[in-house]
Amino acid sequence: MEIAKKISEIREAVKAMKKQDVTIGFVPTMGYLHKGHLSLVKHSLAECCKTVVSIFVNPTQFGPSEDYDRYPRDPVRDAELLKKEGVDLLFMPSVEEMYGKDFFTSVEVSSLAEKLEGSLRPGHFRGVCTVVCKLFNIVTPDNAYFGWKDAQQLVIIQKMVNDLNIPVKVKGCPTVRESDGLAASSRNIYISADKRKNAVALYKGLSKIKDMVENMGITATDVLLTEGRESIERFSGVELQYLEIVEMDNLNPIKKVEDRALILGAIKVSGVRLIDNMMVEMKRVTSQ
Ligand code: PAF
């Protein structure tokens, strides 16, 4: 596995790959890799001839009081894991390499970026879109792989790619969960062992709503959200930040689940923020 730290180096390495006329898959990450990231890598390896991964803890997507400085980092272990998976090229730029002095440009997918996570983390998606747009321009992949775990991020990046005609296929991959249902996340290490059992609160609430829609046929979102909230708030030490049922493409809240919809939530468990979501789908009754 080749490791590039400079933009000029990764451009050279990608240029050499492109001479072989191969499909290039790209997995952007902030490192501290877990099985969710590795599943994105596996999707890319299965679908593309070459796989490029980036590790860059992007300062512009963290708010001033957020965890940029203490965000977990372990580049040596990450590089070993990626090498073992069979990744071809790893891009690990410094902050100075990505944002030289006098960096003025940003990419914003307005409206979508202000809802849900965006309402609690102003500027977060501006930072995400700016860095992902830069990475797409640097790596120029055919496909890029993102987890459904960050559903709003995925919807926003898809929109950015469409709006700006960026020639990359954005692929959403299923959320990877621990055995108790908690979605895999680099931030899970912040949860102490004694609080761990309460961290599944959001997963339980989302599952409850999904069950009510798909197995009981309940479609009124006020009823669904009341039940979901109660299920979450039953866990001790859990603060519910938001729980919404929205349309897949525009993330607008809906009153009734008619086809497919997305339930998204965020909680704080003893100070640690966790997000998760599930897709719900009304089963169609087909006449024979
Ligand atoms: O999902 C992430 O890890 C980050 O938001 C991303 C897409 C790598 C951009 O920094």
Side-chain angles (χ1 to χ4, degrees), residues 28-30 37 56 58 61 128 131-132 146 150 153 157:
T29 81
M30 297 207 300
H37 295 117
F56 178 63
N58 173 36
Q61 67 189 75
V128 170
V131 82
V132 170
F146 294 86
D150 296 300
Q153 169 173 282
I157 288 171

Side-chain angles (χ1 to χ4, degrees):
M1 183 180 72
E2 201 179 329
I3 300 183
K5 295 201 166 167
K6 298 278 175 210
I7 293 170
S8 57
E9 288 166 10
I10 184 124
R11 281 200 200 278
E12 275 308 307
V14 170
K15 200 164 148 194
M17 282 178 184
K18 291 204 167 178
K19 279 200 183 124
Q20 301 167 42
D21 199 20
V22 294
T23 320
I24 299 177
F26 176 47
V27 182
T29 81
M30 297 207 300
Y32 210 74
L33 304 177
H34 52 69
K35 56 188 182 181
H37 295 117
L38 297 182
S39 115
L40 303 179
V41 168
K42 285 181 177 51
H43 275 89
S44 175
L45 289 166
E47 293 177 9
C48 306
C49 294
K50 298 282 181 192
T51 291
V52 182
V53 175
S54 65
I55 295 180
F56 178 63
V57 186
N58 173 36
T60 65
Q61 67 189 75
F62 290 80
S65 59
E66 293 184 12
D67 57 346
Y68 173 70
D69 288 330
R70 66 179 192 118
Y71 192 83
R73 293 161 169 90
D74 196 345
V76 174
R77 177 184 157 273
D78 288 348
E80 273 165 19
L81 284 172
L82 295 172
K83 190 172 167 197
K84 227 195 283 162
E85 286 296 330
V87 165
D88 300 279
L89 182 55
L90 171 59
F91 181 42
M92 290 204 291
S94 64
V95 173
E96 296 69 37
E97 184 69 7
M98 289 297 278
Y99 299 105
K101 69 175 170 56
D102 299 336
F103 188 92
F104 293 134
T105 308
S106 59
V107 180
E108 191 151 36
V109 180
S110 57
S111 149
L112 285 182
E114 284 135 31
K115 303 164 197 265
L116 302 157
E117 278 299 285
S119 69
L120 295 168
R121 304 184 66 190
H124 168 67
F125 289 114
R126 187 188 317 121
V128 170
C129 287
T130 304
V131 82
V132 170
C133 186
K134 280 172 70 65
L135 289 166
F136 284 171
N137 283 332
I138 293 166
V139 177
T140 61
D142 297 288
N143 296 349
Y145 296 83
F146 294 86
W148 267 108
K149 149 83 171 42
D150 296 300
Q152 186 175 6
Q153 169 173 282
L154 177 55
V155 170
I156 288 175
I157 288 171
Q158 182 67 70
K159 185 80 181 115
M160 172 185 82
V161 161
N162 290 345
D163 285 355
L164 299 182
N165 308 97
I166 303 176
V168 58
K169 281 194 204 78
V170 173
K171 307 256 185 163
C173 304
T175 301
V176 174
R177 298 183 181 280
E178 304 298 342
S179 55
D180 59 359
L182 181 68
S185 162
S186 303
R187 289 189 169 101
N188 288 353
I189 58 139
Y190 296 152
I191 309 165
S192 60
D194 57 325
K195 306 289 159 29
R196 183 63 181 71
K197 62 180 185 306
N198 297 324
V200 293
L202 183 53
Y203 167 73
K204 295 283 183 198
L206 296 170
S207 305
K208 166 112 202 167
I209 295 178
K210 188 172 169 69
D211 179 52
M212 287 171 73
V213 176
E214 295 184 349
N215 298 321
M216 297 158 73
I218 299 170
T219 58
T221 55
D222 54 349
V223 177
L224 295 166
L225 290 171
T226 303
E227 288 286 332
R229 278 189 202 107
E230 276 174 23
S231 159
I232 292 167
E233 282 163 353
R234 233 172 268 144
F235 287 81
S236 65
V238 171
E239 176 203 327
L240 177 61
Q241 294 202 311
Y242 63 81
L243 184 68
E244 287 194 31
I245 304 178
V246 302
E247 267 180 90
M248 298 282 298
D249 305 339
N250 54 27
L251 304 176
N252 285 336
I254 50 174
K255 289 197 172 345
K256 196 167 176 244
V257 180
E258 284 179 341
D259 188 4
R260 285 196 315 168
L262 204 52
I263 332 160
L264 301 103
I267 57 171
K268 261 189 173 176
V269 185
S270 308
V272 181
R273 250 190 121 245
L274 300 171
I275 60 168
D276 200 352
N277 67 86
M278 276 184 199
M279 199 199 291
V280 284
E281 204 154 10
M282 282 302 290
K283 291 191 184 95
R284 287 181 195 283
V285 182
T286 48
S287 53
Q288 300 213 327

